[in-house]
Amino acid sequence: MAAALPHPARTIGWDLGGVHVKAALVEGGVVRAVVQAPCPLWRGLPALDDTFAGLPDWARGEAAHAVTMTGELTDCFADRTDGVAQLAGWAAGHLSGAVAIYAGRAGFVAAAEAEANAAAIASANWHATAALLGRHVPDALLVDVGSTTSDLIPIVGGRAAAAGYGDAERLETGELVYTGVVRTPLLALADHAPFQGRRTRLMAETFSHAADVYRITGDLPEGADQQASGDGKGKSVTESETRLARMIGRDRGEGTDEAWRALARHFAEAQLRLLHDAAAGLLSRPDMPAAAPLIACGAGAFLVEALAQRLGRRCLAFTAVLAERIAGRPDWASTCGPALAVALLSAEPAPTKEAR
């Protein structure tokens, strides 16, 4: 295993995902800037090149670079090991400065060692966020609701205490819930819905996604939806209602604005139930203190606030926990949590108590 990066004045953390690239600039131990940009990685590494070219100048500047990833899952790679190796190779070839790859409990490794450590590196971005937060909140349940997936990670005694590690294990333990506030097709949330006094089955189509629901309810944060809509058209409330109506075989004109809001709230409730069931199971663990709060992270942090209220738990915002480490307005910092986390973790030594 390679040692962690040296402790430079300037570090950039990266989260290379299958649909977004996220980066966080840390200078003097403080987060100075973050960015999220869409990246259709399933089309191949040239998509990553295009996204990289459009990032702010600081992202392409000289720095120490700490990289985590989930993009190894995308269709353009033969398998996860191939994906890890190619993404690590891309980082080593395109980022200016020393590059270290985050391998979860094993710490950081050199890009050249990524393929040999693929199982530890693949989709370990959740571990970075939990490891960082554990330095500030010793016992909590991290709930990071993103555009596509949700991570629910127990933090116990100041360390990430997930029962699973890889995606398959975490799906089994409830620590990975494959649902998010932008890209999840509504068919994945329910197979029927109430409308105009009757129960109706849904169309087995991907006409509408979660982003439509939260645009209609008014909860979707500005800028959170960077992907094409289901029909490739606009993202107004009216256009979102049109897509939602198609899920029950109707046209928008067959219902009122309030009727479509009620239908959207039904899907929002269905998604919250998925998170509630997973969180309730994890909070019932004997090592989770009764007073452990939820930490809300990600584009869907607003759902975590509702979840905490339902569970009768305190809710701490990711940006509030790390307020002293984030300069200026914390816009996007929560959405780019893993990128921020690997940057901060790589730039300072781990406390001796922290388990690897």
Side-chain angles (χ1 to χ4, degrees):
M1 293 292 176
L5 286 170
H7 309 306
R10 193 169 192 268
T11 302
I12 299 176
W14 295 88
D15 186 3
L16 303 180
V19 292
H20 297 105
V21 168
K22 303 172 185 180
L25 172 65
V26 172
E27 292 178 323
V30 175
V31 179
R32 304 293 179 182
V34 294
V35 64
Q36 172 180 283
C39 178
L41 186 58
W42 59 89
R43 297 176 183 170
L45 288 179
L48 190 52
D49 295 339
D50 293 342
T51 297
F52 184 64
L55 293 178
D57 289 343
W58 59 258
R60 294 187 302 278
E62 184 76 21
H65 298 273
V67 180
T68 187
M69 63 184 71
T70 60
E72 78 284 345
L73 292 170
T74 52
D75 299 335
C76 66
F77 303 123
D79 54 27
R80 285 177 173 83
T81 299
D82 177 48
V84 167
Q86 290 204 45
L87 288 173
W90 180 91
H94 288 75
L95 303 181
S96 299
V99 174
I101 310 298
Y102 188 67
R105 292 174 293 204
F108 289 90
V109 302
E113 299 174 350
E115 185 171 3
N117 292 281
I121 293 167
S123 297
N125 62 348
W126 59 271
H127 189 279
T129 311
L132 176 65
L133 289 169
R135 299 182 179 184
H136 300 268
V137 183
D139 299 296
L141 180 66
L142 165 64
V143 185
D144 185 347
V145 180
S147 64
T148 308
T149 62
S150 297
D151 296 308
L152 293 87
I153 310 303
I155 298 171
V156 180
R159 65 181 183 87
Y165 189 84
D167 287 340
E169 291 176 345
R170 295 197 306 121
L171 284 169
E172 294 171 350
T173 61
E175 293 160 345
L176 171 60
V177 181
Y178 225 92
T179 195
V181 295
V182 175
R183 300 183 66 243
T184 298
L186 298 191
L187 192 65
L189 300 177
D191 60 5
H192 62 272
F195 188 75
Q196 295 182 342
R198 302 182 69 178
R199 282 279 177 182
T200 176
R201 305 292 293 186
L202 302 184
M203 295 285 215
E205 298 283 356
T206 55
F207 291 132
S208 185
H209 296 75
D212 291 322
V213 163
Y214 296 115
R215 262 191 295 272
I216 294 169
T217 65
D219 293 311
L220 190 68
E222 183 178 355
D225 181 9
Q226 297 182 328
Q227 305 302 316
S229 62
D231 57 6
K233 297 181 180 178
K235 297 179 180 179
S236 66
V237 171
T238 297
E239 289 164 312
S240 294
E241 290 174 348
T242 296
R243 289 187 287 270
L244 181 63
R246 291 194 181 112
M247 290 301 302
I248 57 170
R250 294 181 180 271
D251 293 324
R252 178 178 174 272
E254 296 180 64
T256 63
D257 288 346
E258 179 51 40
W260 300 125
R261 279 194 294 273
L263 183 57
R265 287 194 292 268
H266 170 78
F267 287 106
E269 169 64 21
Q271 189 167 54
L272 188 59
R273 287 177 195 164
L274 293 175
L275 297 174
H276 175 271
D277 290 350
L282 295 169
L283 290 170
S284 73
R285 283 175 33 163
D287 60 344
M288 285 294 290
L294 270 60
I295 300 178
C297 188
F302 64 90
L303 273 186
V304 187
E305 295 170 6
L307 178 63
Q309 185 175 13
R310 178 172 292 192
L311 291 166
R313 298 270 178 157
R314 287 188 303 132
C315 186
L316 305 177
F318 173 85
T319 50
V321 173
L322 299 174
E324 294 182 356
R325 309 298 303 274
I326 302 172
R329 296 177 58 198
D331 295 347
W332 285 105
S334 181
T335 302
C336 301
L340 183 157
V342 289
L344 290 174
L345 289 171
S346 70
E348 55 192 49
T352 55
K353 291 183 180 179
E354 179 166 330
R356 285 292 188 180

